[in-house]
Amino acid sequence: ASVVLPALLNSIGGDAAPRVRACAARALLCFLDGCGFSTLEPHLEHCARTLSATLTEAPTFVREYCVAAAAALAASVESCWDERKKKMVSTELYGLFAPSLKPLIGGGGPGAAAAALRARSLECL
């Protein structure tokens, strides 16, 4: 995790081509699906900040994978055994992601890609 996560996050948040960013976000989603909180905890802030920043400036298809990865990030936090820590981290994540997700739910324009992004954003929130 200490090698994979930083590399994926640098690809998502960097100046790479949109297709590379989308593939990195998809790989992060797959990684987070099987990741427990203890593995993720050292990288949680970097991961959350990178995904949140990407939601405001990336193309629609990249944002769709980042929204799904944000939902997987929240699911990983739910596996934390410490209830107080889980509540604190969940509240911080909500505060970080909600301002970026709410405009995606209400906007995006017509089309299947925009509809998919709206649906994922609503599911994540």
Side-chain angles (χ1 to χ4, degrees), residues 7-29 49-67 69:
L8 289 175
L9 294 172
N10 287 338
S11 294
I12 293 168
D15 294 331
R19 186 174 283 183
V20 172
R21 294 175 76 190
C23 287
R26 195 172 339 150
L28 178 64
L29 171 61
R49 297 223 178 269
T50 300
L51 291 172
S52 177
T54 304
L55 291 177
T56 60
E57 51 81 25
T60 301
F61 66 98
V62 176
R63 286 188 283 172
E64 185 178 346
Y65 288 114
C66 288
V67 168

Side-chain angles (χ1 to χ4, degrees), residues 35 52 58 67 75 84 86 105 117 120:
C35 186
S52 177
V67 168
R84 203 176 97 225
K86 180 178 11 180
I105 292 169
L117 180 59
R120 287 212 187 222

Side-chain angles (χ1 to χ4, degrees), residues 5-99:
L5 281 174
L8 289 175
L9 294 172
N10 287 338
S11 294
I12 293 168
D15 294 331
R19 186 174 283 183
V20 172
R21 294 175 76 190
C23 287
R26 195 172 339 150
L28 178 64
L29 171 61
C30 292
F31 184 86
L32 291 174
D33 276 341
C35 186
F37 182 74
S38 60
T39 304
L40 179 62
E41 188 174 15
H43 309 281
L44 184 65
E45 184 176 347
H46 185 211
C47 190
R49 297 223 178 269
T50 300
L51 291 172
S52 177
T54 304
L55 291 177
T56 60
E57 51 81 25
T60 301
F61 66 98
V62 176
R63 286 188 283 172
E64 185 178 346
Y65 288 114
C66 288
V67 168
L73 183 69
S76 291
V77 169
E78 287 299 312
S79 70
C80 178
W81 58 270
D82 184 348
E83 289 296 322
R84 203 176 97 225
K85 182 183 270 188
K86 180 178 11 180
K87 187 173 185 174
M88 183 183 70
V89 171
S90 296
T91 303
E92 289 174 6
L93 288 178
Y94 183 83
L96 182 65
F97 284 106

